[in-house]
Amino acid sequence: VQLQASGGGSVQAGDSLRLSCAASGGTFSFRRYVLAWFRQGPGKEREFVAAIRSDRSTYYGDSVKGRFTISRDNVKNTVYLQMDSLRPEDTAFYYCAADSSIILSSIRDENGYDYWGQGTQVTVSS
C-alpha cells in the first residue's frame, strides 16, 4: 500500500486546513484498514493525532480533541483530517499511516502501523 499525503500549508492561528491521504496499491482491502494521522513538530517526538477504524469509530489525541476530525472515503480510498481552530503548537509534519491488523490497544502507537505516507508540512503562525 502506498500513501500520498497532501493539503498542508501555512495558515494563521484560528484558521482551518484539510489534509488528505490517498492510498494506492492493494486498495481492494482499503475498507478494512485502520487509518491514522501522526505528527512531528520541530524538536519533538512523533505524536498520535487521530485514527479511524473500518467501522468508522474514531480516536483522537488529547491535544486535538474537539478541533480535528478524521474521516474516510472508502470509494476514493482516501482518509481526511479536518483541522479547525489551528494553533501555533499544531505546527508539524503530518504523516498518514495505515494497517490492516492493528489491535485497538495499539491504535495510538506508531509502531503498530506498517504503511506510512511521506508527510505534509503544516505551519501555523500567531
Side-chain angles (χ1 to χ4, degrees), residues 6-86:
S6 61
S10 296
V11 297
Q12 297 288 318
D15 285 351
S16 298
L17 273 178
R18 188 175 82 155
L19 305 183
S20 300
C21 178
S24 61
T27 54
F28 61 91
S29 59
F30 179 86
R31 62 180 62 250
R32 299 207 312 266
Y33 277 70
V34 174
L35 307 166
W37 290 94
F38 289 78
R39 68 184 183 185
Q40 188 165 17
K44 298 180 180 179
E45 295 186 351
R46 194 171 295 189
E47 173 190 21
F48 171 76
V49 176
I52 184 167
R53 298 173 70 192
S54 59
D55 63 359
R56 300 184 186 272
S57 54
T58 57
Y59 306 83
Y60 294 95
D62 290 340
S63 61
V64 306
K65 203 172 296 184
R67 300 187 298 122
F68 290 12
T69 304
I70 189 171
S71 61
R72 64 191 297 161
D73 186 330
N74 290 337
V75 174
K76 296 182 178 179
N77 296 329
T78 300
V79 58
Y80 303 99
L81 184 68
Q82 177 66 40
M83 306 185 294
D84 298 321
S85 302
L86 282 162

